[in-house]
Amino acid sequence: MIGFSSRASAQSAATEPEHKSPILAALISLVVPGLGEAYANRFEAGRYLVGSEAILWGGYAGLAVYTSDFQNDMENYAIARAGASAGSKGDQNYFAHVGQYQSSDLFNEEMLREGMASNLIANGQGWSWAVKSDQLYFGQLRTKVQTLDNDRQFMLAAIVVNHLISAIDAYIVTRNFNRDHAAPPAQGMRLEVGGHLGALYDAKGASISARLTF
């Protein structure tokens, strides 16, 4: 087989197209919303997520402080009105029992009936509500604390969702960036000429072909 070809092309030199990693952009925005979009030179696409992040963290911090202060007031109320243990402050289970039982004696009696002696309230940690209305009000305070804590947890979940949305957005924005900055197809003229001489082993003889593209 004998063959030959020649090629000629003319095109202007082009710079290497800029490429950015969509995965890296997603990871960056997963940590700090908006930064992945900035990495792809599209910060305007992520600025609302940055604003949402600031608002959500501000709300979370405010709720955390408010919940802590409200819980402290609730515990102090039980200490002052029912003689609850000041050393048990911060123990949510303890103050849940304080709200549910009129006195620690009644609580201990129930634990003994149920065979749960390990849960008995020790000496010095007892309480007793002298006025039923005080116990009921304490229950209302506990409900308020639980509501605030649930709101705080919801805010934290919203922060996580905001990070995920930003990561997905950064991935899409960066992929679009790469598409918009992809190298254009090569332009120019190309001439290809080829031949095949097969008379020695092919009874059909020889063939020749030519192709011209722009």
Side-chain angles (χ1 to χ4, degrees):
M1 173 181 178
I2 301 174
F4 60 91
S5 64
S6 65
R7 177 182 298 176
S9 63
Q11 62 180 27
S12 59
T15 59
E16 186 71 17
E18 187 176 4
H19 179 83
K20 296 181 181 294
S21 170
I23 295 179
L24 177 59
L27 291 176
I28 294 174
S29 275
L30 188 62
V31 177
V32 181
L35 286 190
E37 289 84 349
Y39 163 74
N41 298 332
R42 287 291 309 278
F43 180 71
E44 68 278 5
R47 60 185 177 183
Y48 298 106
L49 294 167
V50 175
S52 297
E53 184 76 358
I55 293 172
L56 289 171
W57 273 113
Y60 177 83
L63 280 172
V65 172
Y66 189 45
T67 301
S68 178
D69 289 344
F70 210 94
Q71 180 171 343
N72 185 63
D73 292 341
M74 176 199 74
E75 293 171 350
N76 287 336
Y77 182 86
I79 292 170
R81 297 300 182 93
S85 171
S88 297
K89 293 190 67 171
D91 187 339
Q92 296 183 9
N93 287 331
Y94 173 81
F95 282 95
H97 299 326
V98 171
Q100 293 169 357
Y101 294 86
Q102 185 177 357
S103 69
S104 55
D105 291 339
L106 294 176
F107 173 81
N108 285 341
E109 289 175 7
E110 183 168 337
M111 293 300 102
L112 290 173
R113 284 196 303 270
E114 296 180 0
M116 303 173 64
S118 60
N119 292 338
L120 293 177
I121 299 296
N123 293 332
Q125 293 185 313
W127 71 87
S128 178
W129 292 100
V131 181
K132 184 64 176 180
S133 59
D134 288 346
Q135 183 184 3
L136 293 175
Y137 180 69
F138 176 78
Q140 294 174 1
L141 294 178
R142 284 193 64 247
T143 300
K144 179 63 175 180
V145 170
Q146 291 171 351
T147 300
L148 289 172
D149 190 61
N150 290 338
D151 292 342
R152 182 178 61 87
Q153 296 297 330
F154 176 81
M155 194 72 69
L156 185 60
I159 291 172
V160 173
V161 171
N162 191 58
H163 281 239
L164 293 175
I165 292 175
S166 183
I168 295 172
D169 181 66
Y171 181 91
I172 295 174
V173 165
T174 306
R175 187 180 61 182
N176 292 341
F177 173 89
N178 291 333
R179 181 195 61 195
D180 296 340
H181 291 76
Q187 298 179 354
M189 182 180 69
R190 183 173 63 184
L191 174 65
E192 294 183 355
V193 180
H196 171 68
L197 302 177
L200 296 179
Y201 58 89
D202 187 352
K204 294 182 179 180
S207 66
I208 186 169
S209 64
R211 183 173 63 184
L212 180 64
T213 59
F214 296 87

